[in-house]
Amino acid sequence: MPKKLSTIFVCNNCGYESSKWLGKCPACSQWNTFFEEKQVNVNTAKIRQNIKNEVVQLNNVVKKETTRIKTGVEELDRVLGGGFVNGSLTLLGGEPGIGKSTLILQICNSIKIEGKIFYVSGEESAEQIKLRADRLEINNEKILFLSETNIDIVQNSIEKYNPQFLIIDSIQTMYSEEITSAPGSVSQVREITARIMQICKQNGITTIIIGHVTKDGSIAGPRVLEHMVDTVLYLEGERYFTYRILRGVKNRFGSTNEIGMFEMEGKGLVEIKNPSKILISERNGNPSGSIITVSLEGTRPLLVELQALTTLSIFGMPRRNSIGIDYNRLTLLMAVLEKKANLQMGNQDVYLNVVGGIKVNEPALDLAIILAVASSYKNTSIKEDVVAIGEVGLTGEVRSINLIDKRIKEAERLRI
Ligand code: TYD
Ligand code: MG
């Protein structure tokens, strides 16, 4: 009897599978992200038969020397732990328009390799990329460009030109004819990634896959392929601010607690070597509601300015609004302030903002949040040279935090 071809519904955001359509994904809580897919039965037993790996004593395994390729962009090299590992597969995710293609094109110019660089774009034509390259003053004879979306053609070209460095921009535009669903769907994205991984690992090509992240989940997010690649980087930032943060989320060859900071300018992304100085540079005097704190991004201390505003609420329900800081944290701290410091927050709207459009999420910022709100409420400024760091517990106590020396040093360095 022929096997019935079954269909399943897959969440485009996280890859959760269900036998029926669902409005909201139970795994990632996104709405309207389920699309129908044909189920492909892969005979894993057969694959396993072909693998002939033997049991070895771990102590006796000879390590292969990992060589790294320096990108020439210091901020990126630090996030990667010293550059791309030769032959590794990296995923660079971020919202559309955040600057992923720009960053990668800049790397193409500064990267220190002997072989060819192969840039495959399914989004832009050669002329468009050339225009951008001219704007970024990129002049590297080693860059080869292909505007193509069919993975078979891409694979043939890669095998023909045998590059050392490969860029796929973006994974959601590529498609394989073997799969019926549209480009950008979970099964296409998975299949293409598996194909690229095979090409990359077989030929020892260092590869970067660019992947878009969308909030509505209309295209498969990079989350569904995070487990397949060696390194995952995300480029973040608010669209209307020029700062961009590059974060390592997964790294098989190093730590994930480093960040890189960039600023989007007319000539592409410029590295910010001293982010603390820039983030607090626009502080004007010391108005009420403003305070400086030190957040730790990875191992890097970052001075940020918090601003709070409290106003009398005109509705029965007071509003709480936070940008750059977890909303739940703010409401929790407001409750502590009300009960433990006897400030009447129940009839106050509270707004909180992290200057510069960056996101900081650390309990070490609690004390600064509380002080900023209290300062605005009492309309009293906090002295300009005060830096507040500390976690605040539910009973109102201030707790110690990690790496305090490092934070103090950074504050001293900028003479706050
Ligand atoms: P892009 O790299 O195309 O984003 P992504 O690949 O993540 O979708 O960046 C696009 C934005 O960056 C675009 O809105 C214009 C801006 N930009 C600059 O401000 N300066 C520049 O030099 C370049 C190349 C782009
Ligand atoms: Mg792009």
Side-chain angles (χ1 to χ4, degrees):
M1 202 174 85
K3 215 169 173 192
K4 210 177 125 202
L5 200 66
S6 56
T7 58
I8 47 165
F9 292 86
V10 185
C11 168
N12 253 349
N13 186 47
C14 68
Y16 181 87
E17 291 174 5
S18 161
S19 57
K20 58 181 196 309
W21 188 85
L22 298 171
K24 185 184 179 187
C25 176
C28 67
S29 305
Q30 295 285 319
W31 288 91
N32 275 334
T33 53
F34 276 84
F35 291 87
E36 193 173 359
E37 303 265 339
K38 292 222 164 48
Q39 201 164 20
V40 194
N41 288 319
V42 184
N43 194 344
T44 45
K46 212 170 182 179
I47 295 173
R48 239 176 259 147
Q49 271 173 12
N50 296 333
I51 303 171
K52 294 214 168 45
N53 276 343
E54 281 169 9
V55 178
V56 289
Q57 220 170 358
L58 195 57
N59 272 349
N60 298 340
V61 176
V62 186
K63 256 196 314 194
K64 264 194 249 158
E65 197 62 31
T66 49
T67 45
R68 286 184 185 263
I69 304 173
K70 286 250 185 263
T71 61
V73 178
E74 252 177 63
E75 292 289 298
L76 174 61
D77 283 344
R78 205 189 39 249
V79 174
L80 290 167
F84 288 110
V85 167
N86 234 336
S88 65
L89 184 61
T90 303
L91 172 71
L92 174 65
E95 283 179 29
I98 205 79
K100 300 180 293 298
S101 307
T102 308
L103 177 66
I104 296 301
L105 204 56
Q106 283 178 284
I107 296 170
C108 289
N109 200 35
S110 59
I111 195 161
K112 295 177 179 56
I113 53 167
E114 296 294 317
K116 292 184 210 105
I117 299 166
F118 201 75
Y119 194 119
V120 183
S121 177
E123 298 187 347
E124 284 144 317
S125 66
E127 292 87 56
Q128 283 169 320
I129 292 281
K130 176 76 176 115
L131 258 174
R132 181 180 295 172
D134 283 347
R135 204 163 122 198
L136 300 170
E137 290 170 6
I138 284 166
N139 183 19
N140 187 349
E141 283 168 4
K142 287 188 202 133
I143 306 175
L144 301 174
F145 181 82
L146 173 69
S147 179
E148 182 55 62
T149 51
N150 185 334
I151 191 70
D152 293 316
I153 301 176
V154 171
Q155 184 166 5
N156 286 342
S157 310
I158 294 168
E159 278 159 8
K160 187 169 164 200
Y161 290 99
N162 192 26
Q164 190 183 350
F165 192 60
L166 171 69
I167 297 132
I168 305 287
D169 185 5
S170 64
I171 190 78
Q172 283 103 351
T173 56
M174 300 288 150
Y175 75 94
S176 162
E177 276 170 357
E178 286 162 26
I179 292 190
T180 46
S181 58
S185 64
V186 172
S187 38
Q188 282 282 6
V189 164
R190 276 191 192 145
E191 161 74 13
I192 302 286
T193 310
R195 283 278 284 279
I196 294 168
M197 187 159 72
Q198 206 182 358
I199 305 169
C200 151
K201 296 290 172 192
Q202 263 170 9
N203 304 299
I205 306 171
T206 310
T207 307
I208 300 183
I209 295 174
I210 294 179
H212 293 295
V213 182
T214 52
K215 288 206 179 84
D216 63 356
S218 53
I219 49 174
R223 278 177 64 183
V224 296
L225 39 110
E226 272 178 4
H227 65 283
M228 300 169 88
V229 299
D230 298 317
T231 310
V232 181
L233 307 174
Y234 278 103
L235 192 62
E236 300 170 353
E238 292 289 325
R239 189 167 274 246
Y240 301 106
F241 286 93
T242 54
Y243 302 118
R244 302 282 181 268
I245 292 182
L246 185 72
R247 226 179 265 279
V249 178
K250 170 183 172 181
N251 193 350
R252 284 191 180 144
F253 313 105
S255 80
T256 50
N257 53 16
E258 291 293 347
I259 61 153
M261 280 200 73
F262 297 90
E263 190 170 3
M264 183 60 100
E265 290 184 2
K267 279 188 181 171
L269 288 159
V270 179
E271 294 175 68
I272 304 178
K273 296 271 160 65
N274 194 350
S276 296
K277 197 169 172 188
I278 292 181
L279 286 173
I280 58 166
S281 63
E282 281 184 43
R283 200 180 186 211
N284 212 347
N286 62 332
S288 64
S290 155
I291 193 163
I292 304 277
T293 181
V294 192
S295 166
L296 213 63
E297 291 293 329
T299 56
R300 196 177 197 191
L302 206 61
L303 256 70
V304 286
E305 181 188 349
L306 297 186
Q307 291 183 343
L309 182 71
T310 64
T311 55
L312 196 64
S313 181
I314 46 171
F315 301 110
M317 266 285 279
R319 282 187 59 139
R320 308 276 184 252
N321 201 331
S322 69
I323 304 170
I325 279 189
D326 182 22
Y327 170 83
N328 291 326
R329 194 94 208 153
L330 175 65
T331 49
L332 187 144
L333 291 170
M334 290 310 92
V336 174
L337 206 52
E338 167 120 26
K339 183 107 189 214
K340 300 292 168 186
N342 289 326
L343 293 190
Q344 298 303 311
M345 305 308 298
N347 60 355
Q348 295 287 318
D349 289 345
V350 180
Y351 304 93
L352 190 74
N353 181 30
V354 183
V355 177
I358 63 164
K359 288 193 189 82
V360 280
N361 258 335
E362 229 200 327
L365 267 54
D366 291 354
L367 187 61
I369 296 172
I370 285 210
L371 286 174
V373 173
S375 154
S376 175
Y377 179 75
K378 299 217 159 199
N379 214 1
T380 317
S381 322
I382 298 165
K383 271 179 83 180
E384 213 171 350
D385 56 359
V386 170
V387 172
I389 327 164
E391 183 182 346
V392 175
L394 287 186
T395 54
E397 85 281 16
V398 178
R399 292 160 169 268
S400 60
I401 46 151
N402 61 344
L403 298 169
I404 183 80
D405 299 343
K406 220 170 184 174
R407 298 180 205 243
I408 293 175
K409 231 187 215 154
E410 178 77 355
E412 274 176 348
R413 193 171 69 84
L414 287 148
R415 288 218 187 79
I416 283 295

